[in-house]
Every structure is written in C-alpha cells, then in structure tokens.
Amino acid sequence: MKSLSELSEREVVALAIANEEEDSRIYQAFADRLRPDFPASADIFAEMADEERDHRNSLYDFYRSRFGEHLPPIRREDVRGFLKRRAFWWSPHLDLDKMRREAEVMELQAANFYDKAAQQTLDVGVRELFTKLAEVERGHERKANELHEAHLNENVEAAEEHARRKLFVLQYVQPGLAGLIDGSVSTLAPLFAAAFATQNNWETFLVGLAASVGAGISMGLTEALSDDGAITGRGSPLIRGIICGLMTAVGGLGHTLPYLIPDSWPNAFLLATAIASLVVAVELVAISWVRTKYMDTPFLRAAFQVIVGGVLVLLAGIFIGSA
C-alpha cells in the first residue's frame, strides 16, 4: 500500500476522479433520502451531487488528454493514511442536520486532499487544476448557503420544520408516550390489588417490580416487531422498542418504588400507598402535558381522558385487592 506522496501524477488524478464520483453518489443518496419529507433540502444536495459529477468529468477529460482512456483501479482504501468515508449513509438515524455536518466534513477533506496533491506534483498544469479544485471545495460552504437561499424560503423552511417535528414525534415521542401510558396505567391494578390484599410493602413492591419489568419487555417487543419503519417512516424498530420498553418500565416503577418503605416503620403501608398515589397523579399530569405539547391535544381534554382511565384502573385494583 502506497502513501499519497508515493503515487504518480496519473494515479493521483485517477484517485481524484474516484473521490469525486463517490462524493457525488453520497450527495445523491442524501437527496433521494430527503426527497419524501424535505424536498427543498433534497434539491440542494442534488445540485451538490451535480457539481461533484462536473468535477469528475473535468478531471476525466484532463486525464484522457494526458494519460489516455484507461483508469487504474485505485481507491481511497488503497492509499495509506488517506481519508476514508465511514458508511454513515447506512445509518437509519441520519437526519437532515447530520447530513449537512457530514457534507461540511466531506468538503474539508476533499480540499485538503487537493492541497496535498498540488504540493507534490511537478507539473504546472496539474498543480493549477488541483489548486482550483481545492478552492472550489472550500467554496462549497458558500455555494451551499447560496443554494439554501435559492431553495429555502420562509414557507419552505416552515414546512420542513413541520416535517422534522412530525418525524421526531413518530420516531421518539409516540413510542415513549405509549410506553409511559401503559406503564403508568396498566400496572396500577396489579400493584394496588397486591397492596390492599397483603398490606405488606415488600410483597407489594415485588409484584409492582415484576409487573413493571414484564410490561416493559412486552411493550418493547410489541413496538419493535409491529412496524419495521420502512413504510411508515417511524425509524429504527430497535430504537423505538428500547424507548417504549424503558418508558413502560419507568412508568410502572414510579409508583412501585414507594413500597420500598420498610414494614417496620409506623404506618408504613399507609405512607407508601399515599406516596404511590401522589406519584400516580404526577405521572398522569406528565402524560397529559406530553400529549398537549406534541400531539396538539388540549390539556384539559388530555388530562380528563388519562385521569379517568387511570382512576378506573386504580379503583379496579383496590376493589379486587380488598375483596
């Protein structure tokens, strides 16, 4: 494996052609991926891909005039110490902001490559070509800003921000909220049934712990297996499953932990039950707030719906445990 300084001018130009070709494909992949939700930003990356293809064509025209038609099969991976693109475009969590940051890094790396290539070549024409390309790559930030202004007016930016919020809600808020609701509400019945049946804090805690962990595992698997995100755009099923499972467990553990109060304390059962009831109230208000903030549900309506459901499940648990 050679270093960049050991390559011939023919190999350096061929490497530059391969770099421009790969970068154009990456930008086109960004554009294609953004097209359904962010069409204006997709146009920006599509134009950047076109520019990279223009660079590639210019370099290839120069190569053919100097070295002929055949390109040596040299790639980034063949050059020791040379920049290598990690396969970030495969990530299911590559959002618009990450794409823009990756594009900035790519342009900086390309400019540095052309600077080094220009320094080591002895041919004046090749040096001028590489120096010009380095300046072009550094000017892409300005070009991106120009394209941004051309494609993204206030209405388009508002639409893309709405789309970004929608994706965030679909991929993170909805699975988390579903888990929190299930964990906070569904575990009330077994927890308070055990509490009033045994009036023993430790035994009640074990029932609540089992219900919370079991519900977390169940909801996590349900969320992950119910939708792979390919059609709905809801993102990685693994991430959604983890979020849903954790929030389910957290929702159940919140009103389970007060039953860690030792039974030896005076009025330990009443104290633990009072704290657990207060925690339940806080959980239900938190669920209502999240629904209001992210689901555009009026707070009073959200609170009424959640509190009525929670109270019914709570009363069911108390009635069964007291039977």
Side-chain angles (χ1 to χ4, degrees), residues 173-184:
V173 177
Q174 278 192 352
L177 182 61
L180 185 61
I181 292 174
D182 185 84
S184 299

Side-chain angles (χ1 to χ4, degrees), residues 17-295:
I17 293 172
N19 292 343
E20 295 292 345
E21 175 68 23
E22 183 176 342
D23 288 353
S24 71
R25 292 180 180 179
I26 294 173
Y27 289 143
Q28 191 63 56
F30 287 174
D32 294 343
R33 188 160 173 177
L34 291 171
R35 185 71 61 191
D37 300 303
F38 305 99
S41 291
D43 289 341
I44 293 175
F45 281 112
E47 290 199 29
M48 294 177 70
D50 288 339
E51 281 206 353
E52 297 301 307
R53 283 189 283 266
D54 288 340
H55 296 168
R56 190 264 183 198
N57 292 337
S58 297
L59 284 164
Y60 190 47
D61 289 341
F62 176 84
Y63 180 92
R64 284 187 296 184
S65 68
R66 290 288 301 271
F67 307 109
E69 294 289 334
H70 175 65
L71 281 170
I74 187 170
R75 305 167 301 169
R76 306 176 199 264
E77 294 78 8
D78 302 326
V79 181
R80 185 173 63 252
F82 193 62
L83 64 95
K84 294 177 176 59
R85 299 272 187 254
R86 56 189 180 87
F88 48 83
W89 50 85
W90 290 115
S91 171
H93 314 299
L94 189 63
D95 58 21
L96 178 56
D97 290 334
K98 290 180 180 178
M99 290 182 190
R100 288 172 175 166
R101 290 196 294 270
E102 291 291 348
E104 291 177 0
V105 173
M106 288 168 59
E107 298 300 337
L108 178 60
Q109 290 176 332
N112 290 339
F113 161 70
Y114 288 125
D115 281 337
K116 292 180 180 178
Q119 291 171 5
Q120 74 178 51
T121 184
L122 300 178
D123 187 282
V124 176
V126 177
R127 184 184 301 118
E128 289 180 352
L129 176 62
F130 286 154
T131 300
K132 178 182 177 181
L133 287 173
E135 293 173 355
V136 169
E137 297 293 346
R138 289 198 173 88
H140 270 183
E141 183 176 357
R142 184 188 71 254
K143 178 63 175 178
N145 290 333
E146 293 174 356
L147 292 174
H148 184 279
E149 294 174 0
H151 288 284
L152 300 183
N153 55 41
E154 291 184 1
N155 292 334
V156 173
E157 287 185 330
E160 291 203 349
E161 181 58 32
H162 176 74
R164 191 199 310 267
R165 176 185 170 89
K166 179 181 177 181
L167 288 175
F168 176 75
V169 170
L170 286 173
Q171 296 174 0
Y172 300 100
V173 177
Q174 278 192 352
L177 182 61
L180 185 61
I181 292 174
D182 185 84
S184 299
V185 176
S186 69
T187 57
L188 291 177
L191 178 75
F192 283 93
F196 281 85
T198 66
Q199 297 199 8
N200 180 284
N201 283 0
W202 178 247
E203 292 180 1
T204 301
F205 171 77
L206 292 178
V207 171
L209 179 63
S212 301
V213 174
I217 295 173
S218 175
M219 284 292 290
L221 289 174
T222 300
E223 178 64 37
L225 298 177
S226 64
D227 179 13
D228 63 5
I231 297 177
T232 61
R234 297 185 64 218
S236 166
L238 176 61
I239 297 299
R240 292 197 332 270
I242 291 174
I243 292 173
C244 186
L246 286 177
M247 292 307 296
T248 301
V250 168
L253 289 173
H255 46 257
T256 297
L257 292 177
Y259 286 97
L260 282 174
I261 293 175
D263 289 297
S264 58
W265 288 18
N267 299 315
F269 172 73
L270 293 178
L271 177 61
T273 302
I275 296 175
S277 300
L278 179 61
V279 172
V280 170
V282 172
E283 290 171 347
L284 297 181
V285 171
I287 291 170
S288 302
W289 178 83
V290 172
R291 292 189 64 199
T292 299
K293 181 174 177 62
Y294 292 103
M295 306 300 179

Side-chain angles (χ1 to χ4, degrees), residues 284-285 287-289 291-292 297-309:
L284 297 181
V285 171
I287 291 170
S288 302
W289 178 83
R291 292 189 64 199
T292 299
T297 305
F299 181 78
L300 291 180
R301 183 193 302 174
F304 177 78
Q305 294 170 341
V306 173
I307 290 174
V308 168

